[in-house]
Structures are given as C-alpha cells and as structure tokens.
Amino acid sequence: MQFIEANGARIPAIGLGTWELRGRTCARIVEQALKLGYRHIDTAQVYDNEREVGDGVRAAGVKRDEVFLTTKVWTNHFAPNDLERSAKESLVRLRQPHVDLLLLHWPNPHVPLAETLGALAHAKRLGLTRHIGVSNFTVALIEEAVKACPEPLACDQVEYHPYLDQAKVRAACAQEGMAVVAYSPVAKGKIKNDETLLRIGRTHRKTPAQVCLRWLVQQNVSAIPRTSRIERLSENINIFDFALSGEEMEQIFELASPKGRLTDFGFAPKWG
Ligand code: 1BO
C-alpha cells in the first residue's frame, strides 16, 4: 500500500468509502475490505452507519493502529460545544477511543469558520482524533481555514474523478501541505464504458476503474471508492502493479468537463 503524507498524517492511498452503505452489508464489506488489505475506512455521522463500520473494523481482527479511520461532523454541529459532543457521539457509535481523521463534512456559512475550526482543533487536543481536516472546501475556503485553524489541516476531501477538474483544489492543498482525498473517484460508475479509459486499460490489462484510481494515486491523491460488492473490493485495490505514462495521465486529464460534477446540493459552496 502506498501512503499520502500530509501535515503529519500518513493516509493510505486507497480506502473504502461507505456513503450509502447500511446495516449488515456495510459491516460485512468493511470487514472484507480490511481482510483483503485495505487499511483506510471512511464514514461520517450523516451516513448513519458508524455503528456498522465499527462492527466491521472489530470483526476484521486487524490491529487498530494499522487502520486509518475517518469520520465527519455534520454541519448542524459546527457550534463549538456541539462539535465536541458530536465527535464524542461518533466515537461511541464506532466504539473507538479515537479516529485518525475528523473532518468538517461541508462548509457552513452560518457558523463562523474560525469558531468551528477552534473546536475541531480542540477535539484533536482532547485526543478524540489524531488529525483534522475539511471536506468539500473550495480554494478560497481552504485558504481561510488554514489561516484560522490553530492546528494543521491534513486534507480536503472532495469529489474527484476524470470528469471533474480539481487542479485548483489540488494546487491549494499542495501549497498548504494538505492531501486531497477523492470521493466518487470512479464517477459513480460512469467511467465503465469510457473509450479512453478502456483503451488505456487494455494496454495494462486493467479495468477503467483501476485506470481511474491509478490516475488519482499517481497525482498523490488518496481515493476512497465505495462498493457493496466483494469482487469490486479486490479490483479497486489491485492498482499498485502498473504505472500510467505521462501521456496516458494527460489523456485522462482531458476528459474533464464543466458539467462533470456529480454531487451538488443547495447548501454547497459556490464552486470556484
Ligand atoms: C452528503 C454526503 C456527501 C459525501 O460525503
């Protein structure tokens, strides 16, 4: 497994995303992922599956300090006291003494960012999490957050796949020593019949999804594909035995389109 180093954090390059995974399916897939060699699991308070993620982690029998576990605080808990309480409740559901990374799930313009970041840093100092970071932050918000946060931020977790240009976010994170963690890294399956990815995949005997994930990892981005299918777990982690050429990387960058974003909500920030 390759790792992404970011402001003191060492984030496994491939992780398992669990958005929309629920109940026993979620627990089973987390357990299987860890048994197959995954060492990075991503959940969130709002996914309503922290309990099952915790069950899966324990059932896998992997040493806790070998697993990089992320959860996120939902935006209605950004007032300082709420944030600490919410983080502690996540730990109770996960049945863990701490997580490795605690993120602000989306920006919330209704609570001053400096106050929320102060509370996030406090959660780190209390030992509730080893590292802190943000998710769905634009370049302007990353810059504001870095200035306001009393502790280093390890990452910005954002939607990222070949159809969405994230060059500006990548550059801002690199400037601040932060990692980019990519959710929806295979564009919710939309890449599976992509001619460019199929052609590049044929050269390396890899699937379009594997080409996508390799393309992200070669940019020093950590990717957290979600799946509920065991066979996909193996496919998604089997990307460390080939390399894309510079030309292939460029051909994949050219797939980006202004309409490439797949996850947007009324409460989302104005994307730069
Ligand atoms: C509402 C959840 C978005 C991805 O984490």
Side-chain angles (χ1 to χ4, degrees), residues 111-131:
V111 184
L113 185 55
E115 285 181 21
T116 306
L117 289 166
L120 190 66
H122 185 63
K124 178 179 171 185
R125 290 172 185 161
L126 288 175
L128 308 181
T129 182
R130 292 173 55 232
H131 304 283

Side-chain angles (χ1 to χ4, degrees), residues 123-182:
K124 178 179 171 185
R125 290 172 185 161
L126 288 175
L128 308 181
T129 182
R130 292 173 55 232
H131 304 283
I132 55 174
V134 294
S135 181
N136 297 299
F137 271 40
T138 59
V139 170
L141 285 165
I142 292 169
E143 287 165 359
E144 188 184 338
V146 167
K147 280 199 197 103
C149 193
E151 290 277 340
L153 294 167
C155 81
D156 188 11
Q157 184 183 121
V158 292
E159 178 182 340
Y160 189 23
H161 46 72
Y163 302 141
L164 181 62
D165 178 5
Q166 288 286 26
K168 290 180 183 161
V169 167
R170 275 196 300 128
C173 284
Q175 172 79 24
E176 302 299 344
M178 293 165 63
V180 172
V181 177

Side-chain angles (χ1 to χ4, degrees), residues 9-258:
R10 209 163 166 260
I11 308 175
I14 293 290
L16 174 69
T18 66
W19 184 19
E20 290 169 336
L21 296 182
R22 295 279 163 78
R24 290 191 53 186
T25 307
C26 177
R28 203 172 321 121
I29 209 85
V30 169
E31 176 185 351
Q32 282 302 322
L34 291 167
K35 286 184 170 162
L36 276 169
Y38 282 69
R39 290 296 179 266
H40 175 183
I41 308 288
D42 181 272
T43 180
Q45 177 192 26
V46 81
Y47 298 170
D48 196 19
N49 63 13
E50 288 174 312
R51 197 170 299 280
E52 290 76 15
V53 166
D55 288 345
V57 169
R58 274 187 308 284
V62 175
K63 279 198 201 141
R64 174 63 187 88
D65 62 3
E66 288 179 18
V67 182
F68 193 93
L69 183 58
T70 300
T71 195
K72 314 183 193 82
V73 183
W74 190 245
T75 55
N76 59 345
H77 297 297
F78 280 9
N81 291 340
D82 288 347
L83 190 143
E84 183 180 327
R85 194 189 58 241
S86 168
K88 286 179 174 164
E89 286 169 359
S90 284
L91 295 178
V92 168
R93 284 189 291 273
L94 287 160
R95 276 174 279 165
Q96 296 289 334
H98 66 267
V99 287
D100 298 282
L101 184 57
L102 183 66
L103 305 180
L104 302 182
H105 205 147
W106 285 82
N108 178 355
H110 306 295
V111 184
L113 185 55
E115 285 181 21
T116 306
L117 289 166
L120 190 66
H122 185 63
K124 178 179 171 185
R125 290 172 185 161
L126 288 175
L128 308 181
T129 182
R130 292 173 55 232
H131 304 283
I132 55 174
V134 294
S135 181
N136 297 299
F137 271 40
T138 59
V139 170
L141 285 165
I142 292 169
E143 287 165 359
E144 188 184 338
V146 167
K147 280 199 197 103
C149 193
E151 290 277 340
L153 294 167
C155 81
D156 188 11
Q157 184 183 121
V158 292
E159 178 182 340
Y160 189 23
H161 46 72
Y163 302 141
L164 181 62
D165 178 5
Q166 288 286 26
K168 290 180 183 161
V169 167
R170 275 196 300 128
C173 284
Q175 172 79 24
E176 302 299 344
M178 293 165 63
V180 172
V181 177
Y183 72 78
S184 302
V186 297
K188 301 190 176 179
K190 292 194 190 310
I191 44 85
K192 70 174 186 290
N193 296 318
D194 187 286
E195 282 305 324
T196 303
L197 298 173
L198 281 164
R199 176 175 45 76
I200 295 173
R202 274 195 294 274
T203 313
H204 298 280
R205 295 174 186 257
K206 294 289 176 184
T207 64
Q210 290 171 317
V211 172
C212 260
L213 295 170
R214 181 73 208 177
W215 173 76
L216 289 164
V217 167
Q218 279 188 217
Q219 297 168 58
N220 216 29
V221 167
S222 172
I224 48 167
R226 176 203 55 192
T227 182
S228 55
R229 292 168 55 187
I230 305 251
E231 64 277 15
R232 286 260 191 268
L233 283 177
S234 315
E235 177 183 338
N236 290 343
I237 206 169
N238 188 13
I239 61 152
F240 296 103
D241 58 353
F242 77 112
L244 298 169
S245 67
E247 198 179 323
E248 288 168 330
M249 291 291 287
E250 282 313 314
Q251 288 166 4
I252 302 171
F253 278 116
E254 282 167 18
L255 299 176
S257 122

